[in-house]
Amino acid sequence: MQYGPAVRRRKLGAELRALRAEAGLTSGEAASLVGWHQSKVSRIETGRSGVKATDVRLLLEAYGVQDPHLRELLVALAGGDDEHGRHHWWHAYRGLLPPAYRDFISLESQACRVRTLETTVVPGLLQTPEYARAVTRAALGERPEEQVEALVQVRLARQDLLRSKPPLRLSVILDEAVLRRQVGGPEVISGQLRRLLDAARLPQVRLQVLPFASGEHIGLIGPFVILSFPNISDLDVVVLDHLTSSLYLERKEDLQAYTDAFNSLRGQALSVQDSMDFIAGLGDGA
């Protein structure tokens, strides 16, 4: 298990190494092309040191990489602006967001697919403002109201991914406990259930409910998120949230284990239509 920045360095380095090999260059030749010492290229490729976005662009030019989506992804992994020099929107909240959360947002923003099991709260990508506000207050405790509101705005801004072109593909499995927990009170929950139904009708969203009646299941180990990226399957990571940080699993055997777990849970969960009916039934009684 690694923290986000270490995962990004190692995966970015591995992809740069693969691109160098495709270009038919040795590490020494690549270093000469960009005016570096060979050891710097080696440190970047092994993930032993970080790399600036400007350095990534230099290497991509040297390797003749023209694919704009691949370039943008690799620059983002280095923590830089996009290809047009624009800051990522969350940079405006750098003083407010913990590094682990910034790192997660950065990875999420570049993902093409997210699969998540949630056992306690509605995932941030589907929360209403009122629900997000209640969750944020509970997590932060006694904090200034303006700080709470700023974090709510961050959570809502993340949801733009579902409206982007192409939109993020989101697969969600919700434990029944998520739907029954009275976060914010009955009125907030009623609005949140309606939001879930609206989201479930989107073609890019697949929402399933894991009812109490399904009994024991592998999801009892806790919630998790699987992030998948375009062009580079080896970048996929599993994210586990903790109270003060997030941990990332990147080994192939870990990715396979969580992918198998997610697929197993999908089989135990209600179908998409039955899930919508289930949520609608709860909403009628809210």
Side-chain angles (χ1 to χ4, degrees):
M1 292 188 289
Q2 298 288 338
Y3 290 98
V7 171
R8 290 200 304 177
R9 283 200 308 270
R10 190 157 49 251
K11 288 184 177 293
L12 175 59
E15 184 60 21
L16 290 173
R17 182 171 61 249
L19 291 171
R20 173 178 59 75
E22 287 180 15
L25 298 170
T26 66
S27 58
E29 291 169 338
S32 296
L33 284 175
V34 295
W36 299 345
H37 192 278
Q38 186 271 340
S39 62
K40 179 174 180 177
V41 174
S42 296
R43 290 195 305 273
I44 290 172
E45 291 185 350
T46 56
R48 293 199 305 271
S49 66
V51 55
K52 296 178 180 179
T54 52
D55 289 343
V56 170
R57 292 193 182 96
L58 280 176
L59 292 174
L60 295 178
E61 290 295 330
Y63 303 158
V65 177
Q66 300 300 321
D67 183 337
H69 299 296
L70 179 57
R71 290 175 63 94
E72 186 174 348
L73 173 60
L74 296 180
V75 168
L77 286 175
D81 304 340
D82 66 18
E83 285 291 284
H84 305 287
R86 296 178 299 224
H87 287 291
H88 298 294
W89 62 264
W90 58 89
H91 285 194
Y93 299 91
R94 290 184 68 88
L96 176 66
L97 302 178
Y101 191 23
R102 291 202 308 266
D103 204 64
F104 176 80
I105 293 174
S106 174
L107 290 174
E108 181 186 67
S109 72
Q110 296 300 320
C112 63
R113 183 185 183 194
V114 171
R115 288 164 285 175
T116 180
L117 164 71
E118 292 293 346
T119 59
T120 54
V121 296
V122 171
L125 291 172
L126 299 180
Q127 292 179 5
T128 65
E130 296 77 15
Y131 188 98
R133 195 169 291 113
V135 170
T136 302
R137 284 184 180 134
L140 291 182
E142 296 296 327
R143 296 289 182 90
E145 189 62 23
E146 58 269 22
Q147 191 175 71
V148 172
E149 287 303 316
L151 287 170
V152 170
Q153 291 308 309
V154 168
R155 189 155 300 188
L156 298 179
R158 287 169 51 202
Q159 298 177 6
D160 286 344
L161 293 171
L162 297 175
R163 297 180 288 271
S164 62
K165 295 183 179 180
L168 175 72
R169 289 182 290 132
L170 177 64
S171 296
V172 179
I173 297 175
L174 292 179
D175 189 272
E176 183 177 339
V178 174
L179 304 172
R180 294 193 178 277
R181 181 167 287 109
Q182 293 294 301
V183 174
E187 186 174 343
V188 171
I189 284 297
S190 181
Q192 181 61 69
L193 294 177
R194 289 195 298 272
R195 169 74 176 102
L196 290 175
L197 288 174
D198 290 341
R201 297 185 183 100
L202 297 174
Q204 66 270 32
V205 176
R206 181 184 179 91
L207 178 62
Q208 292 179 264
V209 174
L210 195 61
F212 291 148
S214 64
E216 67 279 2
H217 53 77
I218 196 169
L220 296 174
I221 61 173
F224 60 86
V225 179
I226 306 174
L227 298 171
S228 298
F229 300 87
N231 302 311
I232 316 173
S233 61
D234 285 347
L235 280 177
D236 291 5
V237 294
V238 176
V239 186
L240 306 177
D241 275 336
H242 295 264
L243 183 61
T244 57
S245 65
S246 297
L247 291 175
Y248 294 70
L249 305 177
E250 58 172 329
R251 296 186 308 169
K252 288 184 178 180
E253 52 267 43
D254 292 327
L255 287 167
Q256 190 61 56
Y258 277 87
T259 298
D260 291 345
F262 190 83
N263 291 336
S264 173
L265 291 167
R266 283 182 56 182
Q268 286 185 264
L270 299 176
S271 68
V272 172
Q273 185 57 57
D274 287 346
S275 295
M276 292 179 68
D277 293 342
F278 187 92
I279 295 171
L282 291 177
D284 291 339

